[in-house]
Amino acid sequence: MTDIAQAAEKAKVHDEKEADHHPYFRPKDAATLILVDRSGTIPKVLVGKRHDKVVFMPGKFVFPGGRVDKADYRVPCAAPITAELEANLAKGSPRTPASRAKSLAIAAIREACEETGLCLGRRTQDKTEDKTEGKAKLEGAWKPFADAGLLPDPSGLFLIARAITPPGRVKRFDTRFFTADASAITHRVEGVIHADAELVELVWVELGSKPLADLHPMTRNVLNELDTRLATGPLRHDAPVPFFHFYGGRMQKDILS
């Protein structure tokens, strides 16, 4: 990954020059979903190109993701997250309770649908407008699932890494990076990607290719982890999960336990 290594070095210099002048902000829980197509010789990942006029990372290629919503835990699902994924999400300090683990996985699916129009769900016999007491209806951002007769399905998600934005930033996120196979996409919402949208283009790109060299350094670290894991065969929940964070002004990599 020569191109990526070169870009990472340039970004490192930029980050070192950025002043940590903002007060401490507690990171907000967030989730990112990296969809992988393994049908070819070299795995491809789905990235979206941001509009040139957005404030944050204009014109950059990004993965869908965002903050966890309060309602994410209450959304009805076609299947629960796996016990192995729940255990991986619980690792680290402080521990993530089961309810929060579900919210993180569901947030990744919701953000992917909102930003790309691609929905990871499963068809059910019952109507998805769930009216069970204590559960949220599939409305708002979840309406595409209800319209397609789907419930979100987090059972095929794997945790690749966890990363926390450095201190000194106005916006800080404690992000869990999930991945899922492209075969988990069961519905596409038309019209989400267009010239005036937040994402103006979706592209499947090979791991290690030039378009990925311009990603945020932290995201490239996560992609390197994904590349390494894919090289060993099918994804497994028992693989080590790295935790990227900053200490003393430098990025640290630990293994969650």
Side-chain angles (χ1 to χ4, degrees):
M1 294 189 177
T2 305
D3 292 330
I4 291 180
Q6 291 176 347
E9 193 63 31
K10 292 179 181 179
K12 179 181 177 183
V13 173
H14 176 271
D15 285 349
E16 288 176 348
K17 292 181 178 179
E18 184 174 349
D20 291 338
H21 60 279
H22 295 291
Y24 177 81
F25 287 96
R26 182 177 179 180
K28 304 291 185 181
D29 276 335
T32 292
L33 182 61
I34 303 176
L35 291 167
V36 183
D37 180 0
R38 301 188 69 181
S39 61
T41 304
I42 302 176
K44 295 180 179 180
V45 292
L46 183 69
V47 292
K49 186 176 182 181
R50 290 177 64 82
H51 197 288
D52 289 334
K53 294 184 179 180
V54 296
V55 175
F56 183 65
M57 299 179 68
K60 300 289 186 180
F61 282 104
V62 298
F63 295 103
R67 287 178 53 177
V68 173
D69 283 350
K70 292 181 179 180
D72 286 334
Y73 171 67
R74 300 196 303 273
V75 171
C77 299
I81 65 173
T82 63
E84 295 85 358
L85 177 59
E86 183 178 310
N88 279 338
L89 288 167
K91 293 177 180 178
S93 181
R95 296 283 176 177
T96 302
S99 59
R100 199 60 174 170
K102 176 192 173 181
S103 297
L104 288 161
I106 292 300
I109 293 176
R110 173 180 51 75
E111 288 286 341
C113 184
E114 283 185 292
E115 296 183 9
T116 70
L118 302 177
C119 304
L120 278 65
R122 189 186 304 176
R123 299 191 182 281
T124 60
Q125 294 181 349
D126 298 328
K127 291 184 179 181
T128 57
E129 287 286 348
D130 190 277
K131 299 183 184 301
T132 303
E133 184 178 355
K135 289 188 176 181
K137 296 180 180 179
L138 289 180
E139 56 189 8
W142 294 102
K143 192 173 185 301
F145 284 80
D147 292 343
L150 300 173
L151 286 175
D153 183 5
S155 62
L157 269 58
F158 291 82
L159 182 66
I160 298 300
R162 178 179 180 179
I164 296 183
T165 310
R169 274 55 169 182
V170 176
K171 293 183 178 181
R172 298 191 67 208
F173 298 101
D174 185 353
T175 304
R176 280 69 162 191
F177 289 84
F178 297 91
T179 190
D181 193 83
S183 61
I185 301 169
T186 52
H187 180 64
R188 178 189 292 269
V189 181
E190 299 298 334
V192 174
I193 306 298
H194 55 82
D196 296 320
E198 181 178 340
L199 295 183
V200 299
E201 182 182 8
L202 287 181
V203 187
W204 289 96
V205 293
E206 294 181 346
L207 281 172
S209 61
K210 191 172 182 178
L212 299 180
D214 198 33
L215 292 174
H216 188 279
M218 188 71 78
T219 307
R220 284 197 304 274
N221 287 330
V222 175
L223 272 187
N224 287 337
E225 296 293 333
L226 176 59
D227 195 11
T228 299
R229 288 177 61 170
L230 290 174
T232 64
L235 291 169
R236 307 191 323 271
H237 289 291
D238 59 354
V241 178
F243 173 39
F244 298 102
H245 62 104
F246 286 78
Y247 182 78
R250 294 181 176 274
M251 187 182 71
Q252 307 290 322
K253 174 187 173 182
D254 299 326
I255 299 300
L256 292 176
S257 60

